[in-house]
């Protein structure tokens, strides 16, 4: 079965979203290894935090963001699979 032009465009948009989700998740780790902007931001917002507290906050933020990123990747893949399989979900009533 050939894909319609609309399906290819929709899948392209979904894979773009998937790529952006992966990039946003990886960017946090790149920041931690290079510029440390997140740590600086936490330090400026909480000036009484010690370096250990700042690093703990960064680690917590990375863990939570990684979990959200992983869920986002799974959601994009599931949605793309659903579109490729032809199951667009329940039809919504038109106004």
């Amino acid at each position: 079965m050939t894909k319609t032009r609309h399906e290819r465009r929709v899948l392209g948009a979904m894979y773009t979203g998937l790529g952006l989700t992966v990039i946003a998740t990886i960017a946090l780790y790149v920041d931690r290894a290079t510029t440390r902007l997140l740590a600086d931001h936490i330090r400026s917002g909480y000036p009484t935090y010690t370096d250990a507290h700042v690093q703990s906050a960064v680690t917590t933020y990375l863990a939570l963001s990684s979990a959200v990123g992983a869920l986002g990747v799974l959601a994009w893949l599931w949605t793309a699979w659903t579109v490729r399989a032809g199951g667009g979900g329940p039809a919504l009533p038109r106004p």
Side-chain angles (χ1 to χ4, degrees), residues 7 10 14 78-93:
E7 287 173 325
V10 168
M14 288 181 188
W78 177 77
T79 304
W81 177 81
T82 302
V83 168
R84 263 189 275 126
L92 299 175

Side-chain angles (χ1 to χ4, degrees), residues 40-56:
D40 292 342
H41 179 71
I42 293 170
R43 193 173 290 110
S44 70
Y46 300 93
T48 59
Y49 272 20
T50 64
D51 282 338
H53 283 106
V54 170
Q55 290 310 311
S56 177

Side-chain angles (χ1 to χ4, degrees), residues 8-91:
R8 285 191 302 268
R9 292 177 79 193
V10 168
L11 284 171
M14 288 181 188
Y15 288 127
T16 300
L18 171 65
L20 291 173
T21 301
V22 170
I23 289 169
T25 304
I26 291 172
L28 296 169
Y29 290 95
V30 172
D31 172 65
R32 185 177 196 176
T34 58
T35 61
R36 306 180 70 77
L37 290 174
L38 178 59
D40 292 342
H41 179 71
I42 293 170
R43 193 173 290 110
S44 70
Y46 300 93
T48 59
Y49 272 20
T50 64
D51 282 338
H53 283 106
V54 170
Q55 290 310 311
S56 177
V58 168
T59 301
T60 301
Y61 188 85
L62 285 174
L64 292 172
S65 296
S66 295
V68 170
L71 290 173
V73 166
L74 291 174
W76 282 118
L77 290 173
W78 177 77
T79 304
W81 177 81
T82 302
V83 168
R84 263 189 275 126

